[in-house]
Amino acid sequence: MTNAMRFSFLFCSFVVGCSYITSQAEAEISLFPNAEQVEALPEQWYTGTLFAPSPALTDADSYTIEPYVSVNVPKGAYNSSGTLKKNHAQTSVSQFTASYYGITDQLTLYASPAYSYSWGDHSPHSGVKFNDLPVELQYRLTSHETPSVTVYLGFDAPLGSYSNLGNANEGVGTGVWDLRYGVQAQVVYPFFQRVMRIRMWAAATQPLSSVRLRNISSYGTETGFKGRGYSAQTGNEGFSLEFGLTKRWVFALDLYHEWSASSEVKGIYRQTKERYYSRTGWSGLFNVGPALEYGWSPDVGAIAGVILPVAGHNASRDVQAQCAVFVSF
């Protein structure tokens, strides 16, 4: 069984399992038709963790934005056996804004435009670059936010630079349309005198075509190259915890795994007539993301933290310091 088949099996099992849990939870909730019969949870103001996806919004015509700033500092790379080695890579800063619009009480439109800039390592800087644009429809299978299951379907629009570049650091896109899909579950529990929110998810992207490449590209080719690039499947899965310290302060923690299938490049260098073929191999990375959230109100808050890769193979190890503001209208 290939890794892609394993992910598809786990993805389907996760959907079925979450749907069953939610149906059981709804059945239990229906046993208490009167609100006074259910113990009220303390009020808790959340922003959401650094990485975990959010469920679909609960109100039509509502709007939520989360502008993020992320600074990525290279700290080596994991080889195929998982050993951390030194590497040469640039520091980068990116700004992306997770934007949500409630089309109905259960259907949400999501988009996250992003810019990035990289520099250092005695290499040319990238300049400010607009990245590929993720867009999704998010549908919550329940009428309430907890417990809930949300499914995602969308695409990545190839807006980032990827071919015929001035230097390799300008490559921030894949050049192909990607199908995006995923599932997320959320539940809230009492936690001492406060509240704990748990989220679980699995998500993936599937390239829908190959792309023509010329000269320097984000696929690792150099000047004089002509050929095609085959982008890789990617995905991530994990869970997050949010522990209420006070009504305003929340400790957040992401624990998740990222993976990427093999990408390929086929072509020829025009001047030398040399045939070229490369295949990257599968990669994986396990990450921990502690953070602190603070809410000025239920609709306005902020979060700051760091994402730390702790193990992996065939992947760069970049420490990511992040902060964001959460605003809901």
Side-chain angles (χ1 to χ4, degrees):
M1 182 182 290
T2 66
N3 285 319
M5 292 173 63
R6 290 191 187 98
F7 178 79
S8 298
F9 174 76
L10 291 173
F11 178 83
C12 294
S13 300
F14 189 63
V15 173
V16 173
C18 289
S19 299
Y20 174 78
I21 291 171
T22 302
S23 65
Q24 294 300 307
E26 287 185 310
E28 292 176 4
I29 290 171
S30 66
L31 297 175
F32 305 93
N34 299 319
E36 61 270 16
Q37 293 179 279
V38 182
E39 181 182 358
L41 294 172
E43 185 178 11
Q44 190 70 64
W45 297 346
Y46 294 107
T47 67
T49 61
L50 293 176
F51 192 85
S54 300
L57 301 179
T58 54
D59 298 312
D61 294 325
S62 60
Y63 184 55
T64 295
I65 59 171
E66 295 180 80
Y68 278 79
V69 174
S70 176
V71 178
N72 298 350
V73 181
K75 294 295 182 179
Y78 295 102
N79 63 17
S80 58
S81 62
T83 302
L84 183 62
K85 302 288 187 179
K86 291 184 178 181
N87 72 334
H88 298 281
Q90 290 193 315
T91 300
S92 66
V93 61
S94 58
Q95 193 285 316
F96 58 96
T97 302
S99 306
Y100 306 81
Y101 174 72
I103 300 174
T104 71
D105 290 346
Q106 292 178 240
L107 181 65
T108 295
L109 176 64
Y110 163 84
S112 184
Y115 298 86
S116 62
Y117 176 84
S118 61
W119 72 94
D121 192 40
H122 307 289
S123 300
H125 64 79
S126 66
V128 177
K129 293 294 180 180
F130 191 78
N131 296 4
D132 291 348
L133 175 66
V135 178
E136 290 177 349
L137 285 175
Q138 306 177 346
Y139 184 76
R140 195 177 62 260
L141 302 178
T142 58
S143 59
H144 43 77
E145 194 172 11
T146 176
S148 71
V149 175
T150 296
V151 292
Y152 306 90
L153 183 65
F155 59 84
D156 286 335
L159 303 182
S161 302
Y162 68 93
S163 181
N164 208 25
L165 306 173
N167 64 75
N169 299 317
E170 295 179 356
V172 295
T174 64
V176 301
W177 290 85
D178 286 335
L179 177 68
R180 298 172 60 90
Y181 57 95
V183 61
Q184 184 257 27
Q186 173 177 284
V187 66
V188 172
Y189 288 108
F191 178 70
F192 294 98
Q193 300 300 314
R194 300 308 310 166
V195 178
M196 174 175 64
R197 186 167 70 176
I198 300 173
R199 290 174 172 176
M200 299 178 292
W201 77 91
T205 67
Q206 172 63 54
L208 300 179
S209 65
S210 61
V211 64
R212 292 182 179 179
L213 301 177
R214 289 178 59 85
N215 300 317
I216 300 173
S217 75
S218 58
Y219 290 76
T221 59
E222 301 293 340
T223 301
F225 179 82
K226 181 179 181 181
R228 300 198 70 86
Y230 300 83
S231 185
Q233 288 178 303
T234 63
N236 59 83
E237 61 280 333
F239 70 95
S240 69
L241 304 172
E242 291 173 278
F243 301 97
L245 305 176
T246 68
K247 181 172 69 173
R248 297 176 182 270
W249 287 98
V250 176
F251 174 74
L253 181 65
D254 286 306
L255 300 169
Y256 65 97
H257 171 248
E258 297 177 285
W259 57 268
S260 176
S262 296
S263 62
E264 296 183 15
V265 176
K266 300 176 182 179
I268 188 172
Y269 281 93
R270 295 186 298 271
Q271 293 182 350
T272 62
K273 305 301 180 183
E274 177 186 358
R275 291 284 176 180
Y276 179 82
Y277 173 79
S278 71
R279 181 181 174 87
T280 59
W282 280 74
S283 64
L285 200 61
F286 292 91
N287 301 282
V288 175
L292 276 177
E293 306 173 24
Y294 180 79
W296 287 278
S297 75
D299 299 322
V300 180
I303 184 172
V306 60
I307 293 177
L308 303 168
V310 294
H313 68 280
N314 287 339
S316 297
R317 185 177 189 267
D318 294 340
V319 175
Q320 304 172 46
Q322 294 189 1
C323 61
V325 175
F326 166 87
V327 181
S328 183
F329 302 93

